[in-house]
């Protein structure tokens, strides 16, 4: 017992001399306090970093996104929060939290404004990559934060550049702004969860490193145990859902490998699986693949689907395209066919995109250069020019005709600003006839194209009504159809035979 006590005393003395004694605590805290608060410069740099990040995400450019990470000042208030937790300095804690909250809100609102004004509003691969946080994200933030805190304490400031890239605090906030602007709650929630994971892990890791280097050594044993309990509780609370997410991602990777292995085994070594895409969100899961194989080894899709279901233990829908080679073809022939197929597919896709751009430009009355093409998500859109005598219904019909010719593509024609069509009812009729129904559907379509979330419906009751009048029943019928189309209905002044819908307060067509 005595020898153990002496060993502990010796270890404590070494720690005080070799670790704590080499740190200028006042100078480190001075740097932390100077950088962790709110200032006009801080707000400006946050908004500039957010703007660069969201543009990089919309363009799917990793280099631009990295540039946003490098100038983001969000690391400073988070480290200030971590050190204030180590010192139980509630004033600094409040100061850092205010700066972080101001920065986060400013970043989200600024990016949402940019996305709202941008013609590119389709989720890119860079955006999707930041919507599924998992346990590895927590580990990255943990290691990066430990390195960053060490760099600050020991005066190795150049390391912060790498830490800023690794923790990636600004891109998730930019994705939150994108989700807010496009009203995509799945994207917003996933990106916000990633940001919270990063900033909480950084703050708590900074607390651990600060305590190791002697910050807060004056705290009582009760305060130290409180810190330890909170740190363990928060890390475990975050690790459980992130671990579940990682397990799901790992399961999808295993299933993908099983499907690829099954197809390779079933067709043999002379065949090549050139494309494999699995949609895990579909029910049942959708498997799409292209296999180049000798004609003699061609397989029946229905038999393959049953065998695949037995192999992976899940219900699937298999869509398999088999490119058949003639007898005697070898691996070189398969490679040539794969190259030819890829070349032909690329040429055909380019031709289809050019044709789609020209058709959409003609329908919208604009040059082909003004048509926006999103190849990754197969979407095309154009802001239509005012056409003489054209109504909203005219633009909606033009869009549907172009969409009918563009199989597999999402087509959007954004009409010029004009009033919504009147919704007329016959005498003593409260239901929507085909003409009035089309007027409501056209209004909902135009509202979605203009990113208008709600329309004012005259005569709509503000609450539940036991015995609504004729005008209220008509308004309720309109509101129900708008709701089915994803547009909210706001009560307005009473109307008679005809209802004229208008955007809700604060929303206008472009």
């Amino acid at each position: 017992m005595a020898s153990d006590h002496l060993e502990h005393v010796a270890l404590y003395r070494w720690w005080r001399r070799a670790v704590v004694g080499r740190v200028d605590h006042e100078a480190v805290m001075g740097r932390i306090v100077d950088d962790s608060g709110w200032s006009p410069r801080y707000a400006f740099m946050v908004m500039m970093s957010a703007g660069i990040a969201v543009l990089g995400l919309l363009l799917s450019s990793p280099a631009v996104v990295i540039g946003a990470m490098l100038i983001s000042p969000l690391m400073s208030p988070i480290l200030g929060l971590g050190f204030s937790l180590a010192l139980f300095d509630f004033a600094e804690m409040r100061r850092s939290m205010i700066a972080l909250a101001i920065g986060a809100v400013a970043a989200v609102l600024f990016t949402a404004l940019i996305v709202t004004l941008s013609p590119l509003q389709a989720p890119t691969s860079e955006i999707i990559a930041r919507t599924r946080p998992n346990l590895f994200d927590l580990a990255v933030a943990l290691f990066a934060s430990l390195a960053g805190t060490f760099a600050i304490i020991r005066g190795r400031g150049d390391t912060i550049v790498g830490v800023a890239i690794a923790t990636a605090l600004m891109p998730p906030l930019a994705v939150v702004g994108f989700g807010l602007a496009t009203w995509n709650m799945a994207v917003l929630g996933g990106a916000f969860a990633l940001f919270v994971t990063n900033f909480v892990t950084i703050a708590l890791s900074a607390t651990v490193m600060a305590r190791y280097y002697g910050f807060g050594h004056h705290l009582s044993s009760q305060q130290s145990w409180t810190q330890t309990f909170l740190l363990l509780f928060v890390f475990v609370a975050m690790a459980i859902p992130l671990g579940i997410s990682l397990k799901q991602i790992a399961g999808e990777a295993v299933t993908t490998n099983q499907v690829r292995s099954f197809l390779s085994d079933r067709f043999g070594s002379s065949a090549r699986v050139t494309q494999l895409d699995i949609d895990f969100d579909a029910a049942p899961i959708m498997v799409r693949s292209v296999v180049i194989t000798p004609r003699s080894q061609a397989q029946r899709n229905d038999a393959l689907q049953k065998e695949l279901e037995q192999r992976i233990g899940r219900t699937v829908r298999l869509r398999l395209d088999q490119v058949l080679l003639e007898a005697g073809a070898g691996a070189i022939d398969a490679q040539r066919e794969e190259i030819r197929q890829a070349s032909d597919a690329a040429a055909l896709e380019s031709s289809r995109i050019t044709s789609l751009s020209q058709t959409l430009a003609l329908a919208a009355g604009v040059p082909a250069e003004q048509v926006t093409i999103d190849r990754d998500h197969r979407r095309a859109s154009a802001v239509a020019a005012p056409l003489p005598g054209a109504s909203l219904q005219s633009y909606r019909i033009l869009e549907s005709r172009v969409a009918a010719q563009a199989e597999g593509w999402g087509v959007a024609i954004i009409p010029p600003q004009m009033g919504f069509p009147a919704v007329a009812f016959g005498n003593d009729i409260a239901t929507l006839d085909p003409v009035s129904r089309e007027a409501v559907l056209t209004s909902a379509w135009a509202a979605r194209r203009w990113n208008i979330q709600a329309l004012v419906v005259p005569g709509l009751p503000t609450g539940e009504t036991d015995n609504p009048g004729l005008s209220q029943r008509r308004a309720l019928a309109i509101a129900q159809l708008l709701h089915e189309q994803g547009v909210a209905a706001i009560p307005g002044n009473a109307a008679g035979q005809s209802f004229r819908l208008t955007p809700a307060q604060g929303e206008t067509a472009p």
Side-chain angles (χ1 to χ4, degrees):
M1 294 293 291
S3 61
D4 291 342
H5 177 70
L6 292 176
E7 289 179 2
H8 290 158
V9 171
L11 182 61
Y12 175 77
R13 288 177 177 174
W14 170 86
W15 172 72
R16 292 289 300 175
R17 182 183 67 259
V19 178
V20 178
R22 296 184 177 183
V23 177
D24 187 345
H25 294 77
E26 291 186 4
V28 172
M29 281 307 303
R31 292 197 300 270
I32 293 292
V33 171
D34 288 342
D35 296 336
S36 62
W38 178 89
S39 67
R41 175 188 175 278
Y42 166 81
F44 176 78
M45 292 300 293
V46 164
M47 295 178 69
M48 295 305 98
S49 173
I52 295 172
V54 74
L55 293 176
L57 293 169
L58 291 174
L59 295 172
S60 197
S61 173
V64 177
V65 175
I66 290 174
M69 299 178 196
L70 294 178
I71 67 171
S72 170
L74 290 176
M75 192 79 170
S76 297
I78 295 177
L79 290 176
L81 175 62
F83 275 79
S84 66
L85 288 172
L87 296 169
F88 272 57
D89 185 345
F90 294 103
E92 174 62 20
M93 188 184 306
R94 182 172 59 254
R95 184 169 172 270
S96 300
M97 288 294 291
I98 290 174
L100 179 60
I102 291 175
V105 171
V108 170
L109 294 180
F110 189 58
T111 53
L113 175 63
I114 293 176
V115 173
T116 301
L117 298 176
S118 169
L120 301 178
Q121 296 188 349
T124 63
S125 58
E126 288 289 321
I127 292 175
I128 299 300
R130 291 169 173 84
T131 58
R132 297 186 68 184
N134 58 69
L135 197 58
F136 284 170
D137 293 307
L138 186 147
V140 169
L142 173 64
F143 298 149
S145 176
L146 293 176
T149 309
F150 172 83
I152 289 178
I153 293 175
R154 299 305 301 270
R156 306 293 194 272
D158 53 338
T159 307
I160 294 299
V161 173
V163 173
I165 296 175
T167 52
L169 291 166
M170 184 54 72
L173 279 180
V175 177
V176 171
F178 173 88
L180 180 64
T182 59
W183 211 243
N184 190 328
M185 293 299 104
V187 169
L188 188 153
F192 183 73
L194 177 59
F195 172 74
V196 171
T197 298
N198 284 345
F199 106 74
V200 172
T201 303
I202 293 169
L204 298 186
S205 301
T207 301
V208 172
M209 287 294 287
R211 288 306 307 270
Y212 175 73
Y213 278 97
F215 293 85
H217 63 276
H218 61 279
L219 299 180
S220 65
S221 60
Q222 181 179 0
Q223 290 174 320
S224 297
W225 277 110
T226 301
Q227 279 183 343
T228 303
F229 173 78
L230 289 176
L231 289 170
L232 291 175
F233 174 78
V234 173
F235 273 121
V236 171
M238 290 195 305
I240 291 176
L242 294 175
I244 294 173
S245 176
L246 178 61
K247 182 179 179 181
Q248 180 181 354
I249 295 173
E252 293 176 359
V254 169
T255 300
T256 301
N257 290 334
Q258 287 178 330
V259 173
R260 184 177 293 277
S261 176
F262 166 78
L263 293 175
S264 299
D265 294 343
R266 198 68 178 80
F267 283 92
S269 58
S270 57
R272 296 172 65 88
V273 180
T274 62
Q275 295 181 31
L276 179 60
D277 178 41
I278 303 179
D279 184 1
F280 290 96
D281 294 329
I285 63 174
M286 175 68 71
V287 178
R288 304 180 185 87
S289 182
V290 177
V291 178
I292 301 175
T293 181
R295 188 176 296 276
S296 59
Q297 293 180 305
Q299 307 286 336
R300 291 177 52 194
N301 279 22
D302 54 350
L304 284 175
Q305 179 172 305
K306 292 180 181 179
E307 292 184 36
L308 179 59
E309 289 177 342
Q310 294 175 357
R311 172 72 70 90
I312 66 176
R314 298 179 64 176
T315 304
V316 301
R317 289 176 59 195
L318 177 63
R319 290 186 178 178
L320 183 64
D321 294 330
Q322 301 182 48
V323 180
L324 303 180
L325 301 176
E326 298 303 324
I332 295 179
D333 298 294
Q335 291 180 351
R336 288 174 177 170
E337 178 61 27
E338 181 179 353
I339 294 172
R340 186 193 65 78
Q341 182 190 25
S343 177
D344 291 348
L348 179 61
E349 183 69 7
S350 297
S351 176
R352 290 188 61 190
I353 290 175
T354 301
S355 177
L356 174 58
S357 297
Q358 293 174 347
T359 304
L360 185 54
L362 182 61
V366 296
E369 295 78 15
Q370 295 185 16
V371 174
T372 301
I373 297 292
D374 180 3
R375 291 173 177 262
D376 293 337
H377 300 88
R378 300 178 68 81
R379 296 189 181 115
S381 62
V383 178
L387 302 177
S391 63
L392 287 178
Q393 178 72 3
S394 304
Y395 291 103
R396 182 178 168 220
I397 292 173
L398 286 172
E399 180 186 282
S400 64
R401 289 178 179 174
V402 176
Q405 302 175 30
E407 183 179 356
W409 279 75
V411 175
I413 291 180
I414 302 171
Q417 184 175 359
M418 64 180 69
F420 293 102
V423 183
F425 289 84
N427 293 329
D428 299 328
I429 296 177
T431 57
L432 292 167
D433 59 24
V435 175
S436 58
R437 179 180 176 84
E438 282 300 308
V440 177
L441 291 176
T442 298
S443 298
W445 169 83
R448 293 196 304 271
R449 293 294 175 268
W450 292 332
N451 287 325
I452 293 175
Q453 307 296 326
L455 295 177
V456 175
V457 179
L460 184 66
T462 56
E464 295 185 5
T465 304
D466 295 333
N467 187 23
L470 179 60
S471 179
Q472 290 179 325
R473 293 200 304 272
R474 291 171 173 174
L476 288 170
I478 296 173
Q480 175 64 28
L481 186 53
L482 287 175
H483 178 73
E484 293 173 1
Q485 300 299 311
V487 179
I490 305 297
N493 296 328
Q497 293 288 110
S498 178
F499 288 71
R500 178 73 66 175
L501 304 182
T502 56
Q505 186 176 3
E507 295 192 275
T508 57

